Amino acid sequence: MNSMIRSLNQKECSNFLANNYIGHLAYIYKGNPYVVPSTYFFDGKNTIIGYSTEGHKTMAMRKNNKVSLEVSEITNVNNWISVLVHGIFEELSGSDAKGSLHEFSAGIKDLILRKEERNLHFISEFSSKIYDENMPVVFKITVNEMTGRERQM
């Protein structure tokens, strides 16, 4: 059987992003590209919400707000799907940050329950990580471009 690589349309890219929550965030720091694993929530339209602690990644994205997020599911060399997003980082503050963090948390809990059937203990651990005593840096990425590819045997 022949396997083919095909491009995904925008709706397929959106659906794939909305049904996952872990990707690889790419940013530029001092002229070099960096890629790090990142938990995200996609609203199904045009916005990705994420959070981080204060540090290298947040400093870098404040300086250069052009970022990418890659999300993939790889079963094997002949069965995979990958979506790449290019967008603009924007740090949120105050009630915007709190509201977005709540949307992020609720959205991911829903995904975990639907996809993974994980127990509630895991979810409460996840929540406590987000809502510890230090408010994390909450940000959104406004999607400018989305492309996807898939190979199925």
Side-chain angles (χ1 to χ4, degrees), residues 48-131:
I48 291 165
I49 300 167
Y51 78 98
S52 180
T53 54
E54 198 59 67
H56 176 268
K57 177 174 59 187
T58 47
M59 276 184 344
M61 293 189 299
R62 285 175 187 139
K63 283 197 170 109
N64 183 344
N65 66 355
K66 289 182 179 170
V67 298
S68 295
L69 180 75
E70 184 273 343
V71 181
S72 55
E73 276 176 15
I74 303 166
T75 307
N76 58 47
V77 72
N78 289 313
N79 292 283
W80 52 262
I81 184 170
S82 175
V83 170
L84 178 65
V85 169
H86 294 290
I88 301 296
F89 161 88
E90 183 187 335
E91 192 171 340
L92 301 173
S93 59
S95 59
D96 283 348
K98 285 198 172 83
S100 291
L101 199 58
H102 177 75
E103 187 184 351
F104 172 94
S105 179
I108 290 179
K109 283 179 195 178
D110 179 55
L111 267 175
I112 289 168
L113 283 173
R114 275 192 298 126
K115 279 189 81 164
E116 300 177 21
E117 296 166 3
R118 291 262 187 102
N119 62 32
L120 292 166
H121 174 71
F122 171 79
I123 290 172
S124 66
E125 269 179 36
F126 175 79
S127 289
S128 66
K129 240 197 285 185
I130 295 178
Y131 295 109

Side-chain angles (χ1 to χ4, degrees), residues 24-27 33-37:
H24 290 94
L25 182 65
Y27 57 93
Y34 287 81
V35 179
V36 295

Side-chain angles (χ1 to χ4, degrees), residues 5-20 40 42 44-45 71-73 80-85 146-152:
I5 296 175
R6 75 170 191 93
S7 293
L8 304 177
N9 64 36
Q10 292 301 290
K11 189 169 175 42
E12 289 171 315
C13 288
S14 263
N15 287 342
F16 182 74
L17 284 179
N19 282 297
N20 286 283
Y40 74 92
F42 179 60
K45 297 176 208 81
V71 181
S72 55
E73 276 176 15
W80 52 262
I81 184 170
S82 175
V83 170
L84 178 65
V85 169
M146 221 184 321
T147 56
R149 291 218 177 351
E150 153 180 74
R151 183 173 193 166
Q152 300 264 293

